[in-house]
Amino acid sequence: MKNVFSHHISGISFMTWLSLLRVTTRRLLSTSQSSVDPKELRKFQFLAHSWWDEQGEYSALHSMNDIRVPFIRDTVLNMGSTYQQGSPLSGIKILDVGCGGGLLSEPLGRLGASVTGIDPLEENIRVADQHKSFDPVLAKRIQYKCSSLEDIVEESVEMFDVIVASEVVEHVADLEMFIKCCCQVLKPAGSLFITTINKTQLSYILGIVVAEKIAGIVPEGAHDWEKFVPPEELERLLEANGFSVKTVNGMLYNPLTGSWSWIESTSINYALHAVKSGGQAPTSQTEPLSEMESEQCSATAGTSV
Amino acid sequence: MAAACGRALLAPLGGRMRACPRAPLRSLTAAAPLYDVVVSGGGMVGSAMAAALGHDIHFHDKKIALLEAGPRKEYHLPESYSNRVSSISPGSATFLSSFGAWDHVCSLRCKPFRRMQVWDACSEAIITFEKDDLDDMGYIVENDVVMSALTKQLDAVADRVEVFYGSRAVGYTWPLPSHSCDTSPWVQIELADGRRLQTKLLIGADGHNSAVRKEAEIQNIEHQYDQSAVVATLHLSEATDNNVAWQRFLPTGPIALLPLSDTASSLVWSTSHQHASKLLTMDKESFVDSINSAFWSNVNHSDFIDAAGAMFRSALSLLKPSGTGVRQLPPSVAEVDPESRAVFPLGMGHAAQYVRHRVALIGDAAHRVHPLAGQGVNLGFGDIACLAHHLSAAAFNGQDLGSLKHLLRFETERQRHNVSLIAAIDLLKRLYSTNLSPLVLLRTWGLQATNALPPIKVRFFLCTRAIEEFLQ
């Protein structure tokens, strides 16, 4: 009996082992797609040509630069010790995940950073490459790759000072895997910036019903409310995966003026800054309020000699 | 489900983005050097724009070019004064000192004035302006001195600002708004010698006949006045504490005496075309006599107006005993500098738009005024201060410098300020161009009231302070 049983067990073991192998192989083969949802890709395929039309489908993303670029710039400046005149982000390596047509990569590049933009959609990368090609300075500073985050993890361990994932996590299939990958490619004490949409009734009404169906601010079908991420959930996942969340700020889009502003409440859109734990602590800790003030002051600081 | 209220509101921008009918170049663009900003026109306003950007810390790694049709001039301060002078307001002086040019002006020469007296030829009405704290109200500076100071500051940032002397732009090619595959998104400029430049933002500072404005097909509302201005450098009969600017409104036009030193003043006499050519050709003694008579003679007074004016003045003194101020007597002129007489025609102009995608107009290219208020170059400096502020903020945010978003903000701010001032100056010019009794009475009482009532007077003068508050 023992023999039968042990044979049976080893038989089962072998089967299990085989199926496990099959499953793992499938998972290994599909790892490149695991945080990328093919349905999401199809949504954006049709709009690839409108990225750079400032009054087109992506106009809200263009105007979002007015608050997200100063947010990133000032947070990085506050944490670093060197400031090169005219090039506040000089020497900083940034990874722009889900860069799309390069709407955020280009301003960061203009501020002096070396930017790597990745996007799983071939058309987006083509549009982004083509747009940056006319400006020799940007063409050198920005590199685009058609890839998902997981695919570049191995070759880019601890390579980047800053990761920016703006309007991306609400399209991602496996958020925890995404965060783990971010942690792997970030240098210790590196910064992660995320902007995304909260999952609330208000965000459903304004973010989906009004924005997509009524006012056409967002291309229809771009967002799936089920995939929106509440800030508490995002914070929990980040803290559990080696990050320390420093700032969470609410954002509001005014469709009449076409501009974004910072607000107290994170019920609709919000921006988050987290730092990878371990390594050297940042030189200065700043509170959200003073960051907002410093943003407003910095824009006018330029005229002094 | 595309179009919607949000997008429809952006529709007016569509008009600004429409390209002028020229095919954008393709393979040729690869060779042309790309600049972040090109300023077309190297006069006071164009040079100040290039210098202000060159000294801005957020433009440290940017490339700026200045196109000037004339040759580079080495300036050595001559003994005699130039006949082209400008009245620089304190706000403009603050702006010029923000990039170190004002120090050079002061080290060369400039004359501050503390008081302005303006009066009518047809009545006794007078208005005086002075700052309570006895500060300088403004400075009379020769245009050559300002240019020399600006050139020095441009040289100081030569690594960032490239000045193309003897270069005139002969053609501009505008980019299509949301660019498609192989067309360059930059403005292409072709120079007379065949060189080509590309730029992310073209700033037109090329005067009231602006080629940039014409090529961009921006509509210009213009009007030639039936007046020319006669300028000359005058020597006074006796040395005096020459710190008052005098202006008298004659029916033919205002005559102004601007202090240059204790013994010299600059003349700006706006008058009819025939009178101007007569003044230019008459002999020196007659010329000096005409000037003195213009300031001193009461031939245009009428008893009726004098009586009405006196009555109004006594009424005002009941309300405000201290109100009417002291009348000073202008200095008398002894001789005119030889070869310093010149004439130039006057007109008014205002561009319907100051900006287009990747284009901005500043100074006389955007607006042209009558010299009676001494505002011409100050408006230009105000434009520069505002545009430089917006471009600096845009650069610090990593934005595309030619983007209409911040250019429109500049336009709104400046048009809001300029349009009312230009209209007021034009109105004043027309109001004072007559000796019809009703209008004379109106402006007499108006001037007396304004002189007596501080709030109106202060507001009238706040327009020149706009630059100061802007820079704070």
Side-chain angles (χ1 to χ4, degrees), chain A residues 18-247:
Chain A
L18 199 57
S19 62
L20 267 173
L21 178 65
R22 236 180 267 135
V23 167
T24 23
T25 327
R26 208 182 304 129
R27 196 170 293 147
L28 277 172
L29 286 174
S30 66
T31 300
S32 61
Q33 299 298 309
S34 73
S35 76
V36 174
D37 189 341
K39 280 205 320 282
E40 300 279 351
L41 289 192
R42 270 195 294 276
K43 278 188 230 164
F44 288 99
Q45 220 149 8
F46 296 117
L47 295 167
H49 58 278
S50 335
W51 279 109
W52 287 100
D53 183 359
E54 282 189 36
Q55 286 129 262
E57 271 87 7
Y58 291 115
S59 62
L61 278 182
H62 276 278
S63 54
M64 198 194 277
N65 277 344
D66 292 343
I67 60 169
R68 59 184 172 172
V69 172
F71 178 49
I72 298 167
R73 173 198 74 209
D74 292 340
T75 312
V76 171
L77 281 178
N78 279 334
M79 290 176 64
S81 45
T82 54
Y83 171 67
Q84 198 187 31
Q85 283 200 337
S87 228
L89 296 181
S90 157
I92 306 284
K93 285 214 190 68
I94 303 186
L95 175 67
D96 184 3
V97 184
C99 61
L103 261 57
L104 183 50
S105 303
E106 288 205 5
L108 295 174
R110 280 192 204 104
L111 290 178
S114 308
V115 184
T116 305
I118 61 172
D119 197 279
L121 202 55
E122 183 73 51
E123 281 90 280
N124 287 348
I125 295 295
R126 196 183 45 78
V127 167
D129 261 327
Q130 203 251 327
H131 194 263
K132 74 156 193 187
S133 67
F134 291 104
D135 186 341
V137 167
L138 282 185
K140 262 204 330 244
R141 284 198 193 138
I142 308 177
Q143 306 305 323
Y144 291 114
K145 271 198 201 109
C146 179
S147 157
S148 71
L149 182 55
E150 295 74 33
D151 289 343
I152 63 156
V153 165
E154 264 128 50
E155 67 213 29
S156 339
V157 174
E158 299 205 347
M159 191 160 108
F160 296 102
D161 299 288
V162 171
I163 297 183
V164 175
S166 180
E167 306 303 301
V168 159
V169 299
E170 68 266 23
H171 299 287
V172 146
D174 184 345
L175 185 53
E176 183 147 22
M177 151 94 62
F178 182 84
I179 291 171
K180 283 194 166 75
C181 293
C182 286
C183 196
Q184 282 177 287
V185 300
L186 251 191
K187 288 188 189 157
S191 284
L192 171 62
F193 293 92
I194 295 178
T195 78
T196 186
I197 311 179
N198 199 347
K199 187 177 179 180
T200 59
Q201 282 184 329
L202 198 56
S203 75
Y204 182 76
I205 298 167
L206 293 180
I208 307 246
V209 175
V210 175
E212 286 184 23
K213 301 189 198 307
I214 300 181
I217 299 162
V218 175
E220 187 157 6
H223 289 133
D224 176 5
W225 186 78
E226 291 300 327
K227 297 177 83 166
F228 285 175
V229 184
E232 304 78 37
E233 167 81 11
L234 189 55
E235 271 183 77
R236 185 185 63 77
L237 282 171
L238 286 167
E239 300 271 348
N241 285 289
F243 282 98
S244 159
V245 175
K246 297 288 176 207
T247 313

Side-chain angles (χ1 to χ4, degrees), chain B residues 32 106 118 145 158 177 189 259 268 276 285 333 337 397 410:
Chain B
C106 293
V118 179
V145 168
I189 304 168
V268 182
E285 288 76 30
V333 179
D337 243 0
N397 286 344
F410 152 73

Side-chain angles (χ1 to χ4, degrees), chain B residues 75-86 105-112 139-146 231-236 240 242 258-267 335-342:
Chain B
Y75 183 67
H76 305 286
L77 195 67
E79 279 269 348
S80 58
Y81 288 88
S82 156
N83 59 6
R84 293 306 301 271
V85 304
S86 298
V105 169
C106 293
S107 68
L108 284 167
R109 66 184 166 212
C110 84
K111 185 80 173 84
Y139 309 88
I140 304 298
V141 189
E142 294 151 88
N143 292 0
D144 288 338
V145 168
V146 177
V231 292
T233 311
L234 307 171
H235 294 282
L236 309 174
T240 167
N242 199 7
L258 306 171
L260 288 173
S261 72
D262 287 344
T263 54
S265 285
S266 184
L267 172 79
E335 58 179 289
V336 58
D337 243 0
E339 326 260 330
S340 71
R341 277 187 267 177

